[in-house]
Amino acid sequence: MRLPRPTRATLERNLPILQWGKSYDRDTLTSDLVAAVIVTIMLIPQSLAYALLAGLPPEMGLYASILPLVAYAVFGTSRALAVGPVAVVSLMTAAAVGNLALQGTAEYAAAAITLAFISGLMLTLMGVFRLGFIANFLSHPVIAGFITASGVLIATSQLKHLLGVDAHGHNLPTLLGSILAHLPETNLITLVIGIMATGFLFWVRKGLKPLLLDAGLKPRMADILAKAGPVGAVAVTTLVTWLFGLQNHGVRIVGEVPMGLPPLSLPSFSGEIWSSLFVSALLISIIGFVESVSVAQTLAAKKRQRIIPDQELVGLGTANIAAAISGGYPVTGGFARSVVNFDAGAETPAAGAFTAVGIALAALLLTPLLFFLPKATLAATIIVAVLSLVDFSILKRTWHYSRVDFSAVAATILLTLGFGVEVGVSAGVLISIGLFLYKTSRPHVAEVGLVPGTQHFRNILRHDVQTDPSLVTLRIDESLYFANARYLEDYLYDRVVGDNDIRHVVLMCSAVNEIDMSALESLEEANRRLHEIGITLHLSEVKGPVMDRLQRSHFINDLTGRVFLSQYDAMVALTPNENAA
């Protein structure tokens, strides 16, 4: 039985797999399989490394890279976004659950699973209630500053593994202090492994592919082998550690990694744990969503595709719930991994599902080979990956463009480095909202005049325009709401006080999309006070929806002047004809 069209459309909107699945063919399958192979090679060492960063057993990184990818393939709308553990969310996970239980204990892992479940529930509910617009409240420069500072923190936190020492701390001063205090305990063999692995991985990123192309390999094969660089580092250092028994000389290794598919798990439903993790889960959800949507939109635009932010919330939410029930921890879309997925030719989210199959096979067959893997190699993988996130040029760009934005970015970076990732991301969110309120609380108001020979009005400070001493026209370049209503009221009084020639004031509302109740009360008060000093208040170019609301109030009836269709009509009516000709 065929479904009615509205029902089918609703299903396809809520299950994007039904849209792209209809046209899935052999060529698409081939492209997705090739992309999955490349991303799987990249994701295996990254998954292990990011679990290490989160303070979790390495197998949890693999578990978080299987079922969540399948869930996103069903519910996500981006055809190139690669979901899984990422550096920033791993660091935030460590900060969130670090205060609840001792690192390395079963309670610590259970808290991470619960964090993924809470975050997934939040994201899914936000998607169901169409709250994707929340991404618009986060300033991109502030987020860039937070990610840059997080990259520095992550790289610094991994130095202890390169040195083979114990060091702790969730902010830069304590991390550096702890590392310096333990510096005399450095294990030289570990340091050599770490430095060589780091140097090799940096070289692989840019140097290996050109070398392979010069050797005559085809571009696709050269690309696959270049992406396999981290796997090569893992294989070589593991083999060397096993052959020479370096674990007996102080080199710290991963140890036993359980072999098999992810176990079914349940989050804790303790009210105390939920209340402790709630704020952290919310911050992880917001940062993860913003990062994912930014990447997904960028990649979709390159192929003239589009994503649906509200459905992305559902996709990421179900991915995190899937991580929680399969022994994983919070996941989101990764920038570098998604770019690799896109460049490798992924055509649909099925590439993510095929990647999940690859990771599952690795968990089934390869984990015994990871026993002698040095933690220094995983630390090198993390350092090389996160340093690409560090971009201090954002400070220079914002300094030249906007000192307000520069102050916000600098504050976010300093707070993240100085007080930790949770304080940094909280500050980033508050600063983004504060920036919006600050900028809109002081709306740009321009006094305008008529451009000679036209019906256009421009700023009197920028253009040679016609004005009349009895008429003041103020163009408001912002919607009016509670935060800026008083500013406009004060601006009006400051302009008219002391100028006895003024008889009319016109508020040109061409850029005003909304007037809330607070702003309406300010306009009513301005209308009354201007009338008391013999000045008539008029409006011009009021948009339809704004006018509809004003007509539902008493303001239009009490207005001492008129509402003009255009500013030119207002000038013709309120000034001598020769000035408006």
Side-chain angles (χ1 to χ4, degrees):
M1 177 179 177
R2 290 177 61 86
L3 290 168
R5 184 171 295 274
T7 304
R8 188 182 306 131
T10 302
L11 275 175
E12 290 182 354
R13 184 173 65 250
N14 295 323
L15 293 171
I17 189 174
L18 299 178
Q19 297 180 14
W20 54 263
K22 292 185 298 185
S23 57
Y24 205 79
D25 54 26
R26 182 174 297 178
D27 291 338
T28 306
L29 173 63
T30 302
S31 298
D32 285 345
L33 282 173
V34 171
V37 169
I38 295 175
V39 174
T40 299
I41 292 171
M42 178 183 183
L43 189 53
I44 290 173
Q46 277 195 356
S47 298
L48 299 168
Y50 290 150
L52 179 71
L53 173 61
L56 297 166
E59 64 270 17
M60 289 188 69
L62 294 175
Y63 298 162
S65 304
I66 300 176
L67 202 55
L69 279 67
V70 177
Y72 183 82
V74 174
F75 294 100
T77 61
S78 171
R79 303 205 173 191
L81 189 70
V83 172
V86 299
V88 173
V89 170
S90 297
L91 181 65
M92 294 177 71
T93 298
V97 302
N99 297 326
L100 299 183
L102 294 176
Q103 187 168 326
T105 64
E107 289 81 4
Y108 189 94
I113 290 171
T114 304
L115 184 66
F117 185 79
I118 299 172
S119 176
L121 201 60
M122 286 179 175
L123 288 164
T124 303
L125 289 175
M126 286 192 289
V128 169
F129 289 104
R130 302 288 186 253
L131 299 180
F133 64 88
I134 62 172
N136 300 330
F137 287 97
L138 289 173
S139 160
H140 181 266
V142 166
I143 294 300
F146 168 71
I147 291 176
T148 291
S150 297
V152 172
L153 273 181
I154 291 168
T156 305
S157 71
Q158 296 309 295
L159 292 178
K160 63 183 180 182
H161 296 296
L162 293 188
L163 298 170
V165 301
D166 290 316
H168 304 283
H170 291 301
N171 57 63
L172 192 60
T174 56
L175 273 172
L176 289 176
S178 183
I179 290 171
L180 289 173
H182 292 86
L183 201 57
E185 304 166 14
T186 299
N187 183 283
L188 292 180
I189 300 177
T190 301
L191 181 61
V192 170
I193 292 174
I195 291 176
M196 291 184 67
T198 304
F200 173 74
L201 292 174
F202 270 120
W203 173 76
V204 161
R205 291 173 71 92
K206 294 186 178 180
L208 182 57
K209 185 175 180 180
L211 192 66
L212 295 173
L213 291 174
D214 292 340
L217 267 69
K218 293 183 179 181
R220 179 58 64 89
M221 182 56 66
D223 194 49
I224 292 176
L225 291 177
K227 296 297 187 299
V231 175
V234 166
V236 171
T237 56
T238 301
L239 182 61
V240 169
T241 303
W242 172 67
L243 285 174
F244 295 98
L246 297 182
Q247 74 278 9
N248 298 321
H249 298 279
V251 175
R252 300 181 183 185
I253 59 175
V254 168
E256 184 177 357
V257 178
M259 184 170 61
L261 293 175
L264 290 178
S265 57
L266 285 175
S268 168
F269 291 99
S270 163
E272 182 181 353
I273 292 179
W274 276 57
S275 62
S276 299
L277 293 176
F278 186 86
V279 174
S280 297
L282 179 61
L283 295 175
I284 287 175
S285 300
I286 293 173
I287 293 298
F289 173 61
V290 171
E291 183 178 354
S292 295
V293 166
S294 299
V295 176
Q297 288 177 333
T298 300
L299 297 179
K302 292 182 178 181
K303 288 191 175 182
R304 297 190 177 183
Q305 297 168 350
R306 63 186 297 268
I307 67 163
I308 303 172
D310 292 326
Q311 187 60 35
E312 282 298 288
L313 283 166
V314 175
L316 293 173
T318 53
N320 276 280
I321 292 174
I325 64 174
S326 59
Y329 69 100
V331 297
T332 192
F335 176 76
R337 194 181 309 139
S338 298
V339 171
V340 169
N341 195 40
F342 179 86
D343 291 341
E347 294 289 341
T348 72
F354 296 143
T355 299
V357 173
I359 301 296
L361 290 174
L364 276 171
L365 305 174
L366 302 180
T367 51
L369 303 177
L370 300 173
F371 185 91
F372 292 99
L373 172 60
K375 290 186 176 181
T377 303
L378 294 181
T381 302
I382 293 174
I383 290 172
V384 173
V386 300
L387 286 183
S388 63
L389 303 175
V390 176
D391 179 21
F392 283 107
S393 66
I394 188 69
L395 291 170
K396 181 180 179 181
R397 296 199 303 273
T398 53
W399 174 265
H400 288 298
Y401 187 76
S402 168
R403 300 298 167 82
V404 173
D405 283 333
F406 169 81
S407 300
V409 172
T412 302
I413 290 176
L414 291 174
L415 287 170
T416 302
L417 294 177
F419 297 95
V421 64
E422 287 204 336
V423 172
V425 71
S426 301
V429 172
L430 293 175
I431 289 172
S432 294
I433 296 173
L435 271 178
F436 170 77
L437 293 175
Y438 174 77
K439 290 176 179 178
T440 56
S441 69
R442 301 173 61 84
H444 180 258
V445 179
E447 186 170 341
V448 299
L450 179 66
V451 178
T454 72
Q455 295 185 10
H456 300 291
F457 289 77
R458 294 292 184 269
N459 194 323
I460 63 172
L461 301 178
R462 295 176 177 268
H463 301 273
D464 184 16
V465 293
Q466 294 178 355
T467 60
D468 187 276
S470 66
L471 172 67
V472 171
T473 298
L474 300 177
R475 189 190 67 220
I476 309 166
D477 295 332
E478 184 68 67
S479 291
L480 299 177
Y481 72 119
F482 65 90
N484 61 22
R486 187 56 184 267
Y487 177 86
L488 176 63
E489 192 177 341
D490 292 341
Y491 188 99
L492 267 173
Y493 301 149
D494 291 341
R495 176 61 185 87
V496 301
V497 169
D499 193 336
N500 297 324
D501 294 329
I502 298 175
R503 292 291 176 266
H504 303 281
V505 170
V506 182
L507 298 182
M508 186 175 172
C509 302
S510 53
V512 177
N513 296 316
E514 184 175 3
I515 298 176
D516 76 356
M517 195 66 191
S518 297
L520 176 64
E521 291 175 354
S522 286
L523 288 176
E524 290 172 340
E525 180 65 14
N527 180 59
R528 183 187 65 79
R529 293 179 63 178
L530 289 175
H531 179 63
E532 289 177 352
I533 58 176
I535 298 176
T536 305
L537 179 65
H538 308 267
L539 305 179
S540 73
E541 303 188 12
V542 181
K543 293 183 176 180
V546 178
M547 191 64 188
D548 291 341
R549 281 194 173 184
L550 292 179
Q551 287 177 333
R552 292 200 293 267
S553 71
H554 296 289
F555 177 70
I556 297 298
N557 294 330
D558 296 337
L559 186 66
T560 55
R562 298 165 52 188
V563 179
F564 293 95
L565 182 64
S566 71
Q567 182 55 36
Y568 185 75
D569 291 344
M571 192 166 192
V572 169
L574 302 175
T575 61
N577 290 334
E578 60 266 23
N579 284 348

